[in-house]
Amino acid sequence: MACRICSGRLHRFADFGRQPVSDAFVLPGDTGEEFFFDLAVGVCESCAMVQLLQEVPRERMFHEGYPYLSSGSAVMREHFRSLAGRLLATELAGPDPFVVELGCNDGTMLATIAAAGVRHLGVEPSGGVADLAAARGVRVRKDFFEAATAASILAFDGPADVVYAANTLCHIPYLDSIMKGVATLLRPGGVFVFEDPYLGDILDRASFDQIYDEHFYLFSATSVRELARRHGFDLVDVERLPVHGGEVRYTLARRGARTPSPAVAELLAAEEAGALTGPQTLRDFAGRVAGIRDSLVDLLTGLRARGATVYGYGATAKSATVLNYCGIGPGLVSHICDTTPAKQGRLTPGSHIPVRGPEAFAAPYPDYALLFAWNHAEEIMAKETAFRDAGGTWILYVPDVHLV
Ligand code: SAM
Ligand code: TMP
Ligand code: ZN
């Protein structure tokens, strides 16, 4: 198995077994039709990029029925509004600026750019969510971004001042084509800004559910700097973000075009000092993950034996890894409540737990709620105070199994 970035040797360090497509919520009659793959993760011994060992064909994940909505969290709506405001005030403050967003989803970020009257384009292959973006006035192209797409955007719209991607770049195995596309599309002084879950946070918190089909790469400053270098870019800024359980926003510029901020050297030094992808760090991670699985299954089995009721909260893509790796089905978690219309009335992939709307999370409350959307814990607990007031208890499994 060779590294998708540099062809170096991959060292496998965690294995989650047979897994379904994480966002493929199934209709009750269609459970015989599911696609499975082997979910295992390795690190490149040359460039330190952490990556999946098997790729799921992109059309199986990103299509007309892709259910995930960026607008599903108030915290994320504010996060993208604030980022758009910052881009408008800085990189997009010149004459007739142009910004391209890869994976714009339902247009949550670009809606602010569109409202400011700034030239923009969202590139979004998932037709259903792209239609939602278009309906709110965002200019969107239904396509996978890659080298050829970039050339045709350049021919029609001219060069971009900013290419931006949130929770999208790490979803794309074919980064060589993406980086070539960005190099084609970006103005000489432009920036490529992307934010994704940070390997350092995932290892620290043992948040193994960040590993699933769509999260093909787990980036670090070290691996992103090498990726950038191979394509004629410098890593010129990094910013730690609290969202989605800990992310980093990376800024790339053409080689020599900008002076890197001190934060870049600081994060690189911290990764080296902490032996981020060292064998001991990765062994510790794998050990903690197995421990979480055993404690969670013990807890849920004990609760069932006592006759306690347990609902899930948030039918996240992340939950696919937890449910299928731990072997948790409707016998242990009766159903999962989630606000996403395209998930409701369906079953979770592989584990077949029914998904219901948020109205199902109401009195009489269950005794316990397993919080799969733990990255939105603050937002969710703030609006669900009645659950604890009624005597309910939250179950969290990151960074360890604990009750709140
Ligand atoms: N940017 C949004 C956010 O952060 O909430 C959406 C993130 S969603 C997890 C990933 C998105 O990337 C999906 O909407 C998917 O359709 C899109 N995507 C996948 N491959 C892509 C590609 N090659 N080019 C552009 N978008 C892509
Ligand atoms: P994410 O962790 O990938 O952003 O997915 C969060 C999931 O949780 C998504 O399916 C929407 C759902 N959700 C709720 O059901 N209620 C909420 O209050 C929030 C914030 C998310
Ligand atoms: Zn490599």
Side-chain angles (χ1 to χ4, degrees):
M1 196 71 65
C3 171
R4 288 295 296 259
I5 305 298
C6 78
S7 304
R9 258 188 33 188
L10 292 181
H11 161 69
R12 170 194 297 241
F13 66 88
D15 203 327
F16 301 94
R18 192 170 159 269
Q19 292 280 340
V21 173
S22 62
D23 266 316
F25 291 82
V26 276
L27 288 169
D30 290 348
T31 50
E33 311 287 305
E34 291 178 280
F35 174 88
F36 289 89
F37 72 107
D38 286 319
L39 180 64
V41 65
V43 60
C44 174
E45 292 176 356
S46 306
C47 76
M49 185 65 87
V50 172
Q51 56 202 277
L52 301 192
L53 304 185
Q54 193 180 326
E55 171 182 355
V56 172
R58 63 187 187 177
E59 290 79 9
R60 285 200 178 271
M61 299 186 281
F62 309 117
H63 46 69
E64 200 62 32
Y66 180 69
Y68 184 74
L69 298 178
S70 302
S71 57
S73 145
V75 168
M76 292 312 298
R77 290 197 297 274
E78 174 53 26
H79 173 83
F80 289 125
R81 199 197 55 73
S82 144
L83 181 270
R86 203 211 285 186
L87 289 178
L88 287 170
T90 56
E91 303 293 339
L92 301 175
D96 191 28
F98 178 46
V99 55
V100 175
E101 183 180 8
L102 318 183
C104 70
N105 197 269
D106 61 8
T108 298
M109 195 289 281
L110 283 180
T112 303
I113 304 280
V118 164
R119 278 200 306 135
H120 64 275
L121 179 68
V123 185
E124 176 50 70
S126 298
V129 296
D131 287 341
L132 296 175
R136 63 207 290 190
V138 167
R139 186 172 160 244
V140 57
R141 171 175 173 149
K142 281 190 199 177
D143 227 338
F144 287 97
F145 184 84
E146 56 194 346
T149 331
S152 96
I153 296 171
L154 179 73
F156 193 82
D157 289 301
D161 299 273
V162 176
V163 176
Y164 173 72
N167 307 298
T168 295
L169 207 68
C170 77
H171 290 52
I172 306 181
Y174 45 98
L175 281 187
D176 190 61
S177 177
I178 299 292
M179 295 303 292
K180 284 185 178 136
V182 172
T184 301
L185 186 56
L186 211 55
R187 203 181 281 290
V191 284
F192 181 25
V193 180
F194 56 93
E195 54 195 70
D196 288 287
Y198 177 49
L199 178 66
D201 289 314
I202 293 168
L203 297 177
D204 270 358
R205 298 173 190 195
S207 44
F208 65 99
D209 56 347
Q210 293 281 18
I211 301 168
Y212 54 92
D213 55 351
E214 293 178 26
H215 285 182
F216 190 85
Y217 294 106
L218 305 181
F219 293 144
S220 62
T222 307
S223 61
V224 166
R225 180 182 57 167
E226 179 56 18
L227 169 72
R229 193 194 63 73
R230 299 178 74 83
H231 291 274
F233 287 94
D234 290 333
L235 175 60
V236 298
D237 198 20
V238 289
E239 188 185 347
R240 303 280 296 257
L241 304 173
V243 298
H244 288 314
E247 301 205 318
V248 169
R249 179 179 291 152
Y250 304 91
T251 302
L252 273 48
R254 290 189 199 275
R255 184 170 297 142
R258 298 200 187 194
T259 308
S261 77
V264 175
E266 282 164 23
L267 192 55
L268 287 167
E271 290 181 359
E272 194 174 344
L276 183 65
T277 52
Q280 189 61 46
T281 313
L282 301 179
R283 259 198 307 276
D284 287 351
F285 171 77
R288 285 171 72 196
V289 171
I292 290 174
R293 176 193 56 196
D294 295 347
S295 318
L296 185 58
V297 171
D298 278 357
L299 173 67
L300 295 175
T301 316
L303 292 177
R304 179 177 57 187
R306 277 178 28 208
T309 48
V310 182
Y311 295 2
Y313 199 110
T316 58
K318 293 185 286 294
S319 73
T321 298
V322 180
L323 295 169
N324 291 282
Y325 170 64
C326 299
I328 297 168
L332 292 177
V333 175
S334 60
H335 60 272
I336 305 184
C337 301
D338 192 288
T339 53
T340 315
K343 297 180 183 179
Q344 295 161 7
R346 294 182 174 243
L347 307 175
T348 56
S351 51
H352 303 162
I353 299 175
V355 181
R356 297 213 204 140
E359 67 287 349
F361 200 72
Y365 283 104
D367 301 310
Y368 293 85
L370 178 50
L371 185 56
F372 293 111
W374 54 266
N375 45 311
H376 303 294
E378 214 173 307
E379 176 177 347
I380 289 170
M381 288 184 187
K383 75 175 171 192
E384 300 289 7
T385 51
F387 168 58
R388 290 192 72 223
D389 292 347
T393 302
W394 292 103
I395 303 172
L396 286 106
Y397 51 83
V398 165
D400 50 23
V401 176
H402 61 283
L403 303 177
V404 177

